[in-house]
Amino acid sequence: MQRFEYCNAKDCAQEMLNLGQVNMKMWYLFQWLTEHEQLRHGTQAELLKLYVDEQLVAYSLLENYEACMDKTTLFDGILYQDLGVIHFVTMPDFRKQGYASLLAEVMYRDVIQPLLARHTDVHAYITATGRAVPLMERTPISPAKMVKEFYSEVTFEEKVVNYLRAQSSDC
């Protein structure tokens, strides 16, 4: 039986750390939360966990920047708001069984879509990188609402503005 569970990462950080190195990129986020109770600059970390037969098989984490004042950029008269970075982790024994795709669909519908809908007065977007990109591309998210580069040296104009403009013209 499948069950989804939502939680703020600070409330389940120790559970996530107990999973060990399967967390890789998020390990330090969970470690920070166990030591400091909150992330910096207003960032919230929202988890959507998928359990099958009471066993955690996958989870999605959104580093939510909605309350961060430093995540808005005015560029050529247009206000852009970075609403966060999405990550997915599937436990090794459950990979390639469709769980991550299912999780992406529910995360989009229940968390990301409402988040984007709250910010129609700016050009709001989320960022997906690595394995999160194809998962998010299978959801109904508009390509003009998702950036695919985060850890790069390219300028904001190249990484966000030009990319989103190209996506908007393709829609």
Side-chain angles (χ1 to χ4, degrees):
M1 182 169 112
Q2 293 179 352
R3 173 176 61 90
F4 291 95
E5 180 179 296
Y6 298 88
C7 71
N8 188 302
K10 72 179 179 181
D11 298 329
C12 53
Q14 191 58 55
E15 174 191 3
M16 296 293 103
L17 284 174
N18 291 345
L19 294 174
Q21 288 302 315
V22 73
N23 287 308
M24 292 183 283
K25 288 186 262 186
M26 274 77 69
W27 176 266
Y28 295 106
L29 182 142
F30 297 133
Q31 178 92 32
W32 176 272
L33 284 170
T34 61
E35 296 171 3
H36 299 94
E37 297 277 323
Q38 62 183 347
L39 297 174
R40 297 184 212 176
H41 311 294
T43 299
Q44 294 295 312
E46 301 176 48
L47 276 168
L48 174 59
K49 300 184 285 184
L50 173 57
Y51 291 88
V52 174
D53 297 327
E54 298 305 315
Q55 185 174 4
L56 180 66
V57 299
Y59 69 89
S60 178
L61 183 136
L62 175 66
E63 292 179 65
N64 185 329
Y65 301 150
E66 185 175 26
C68 299
M69 299 316 253
D70 65 338
K71 295 299 182 177
T72 57
T73 304
L74 184 62
F75 187 87
D76 283 346
I78 299 171
L79 190 60
Y80 292 85
Q81 184 165 0
D82 182 351
L83 292 175
V85 179
I86 187 86
H87 307 277
F88 292 90
V89 173
T90 303
M91 301 307 120
D93 291 345
F94 298 97
R95 292 188 177 142
K96 304 223 183 274
Q97 296 179 35
Y99 293 123
S101 294
L102 176 62
L103 197 57
E105 185 67 34
V106 174
M107 178 58 109
Y108 171 75
R109 183 189 70 223
D110 292 355
V111 178
I112 295 170
Q113 185 177 28
L115 178 66
L116 290 167
R118 288 193 298 271
H119 298 278
T120 57
D121 56 334
V122 298
H123 195 114
Y125 62 93
I126 65 153
T127 303
T129 62
R131 289 178 273 170
V133 171
L135 293 169
M136 290 307 300
E137 287 177 329
R138 285 184 227 134
T139 71
I141 193 168
S142 165
K145 297 290 183 184
M146 184 175 71
V147 171
K148 299 178 186 178
E149 286 193 56
F150 181 72
Y151 306 105
S152 69
E153 296 298 320
V154 297
T155 67
F156 177 81
E157 181 178 15
E158 293 172 274
K159 180 170 43 177
V160 176
V161 177
N162 293 343
Y163 179 78
L164 293 177
R165 281 183 185 157
Q167 298 305 307
S168 292
S169 65
D170 291 343
C171 292

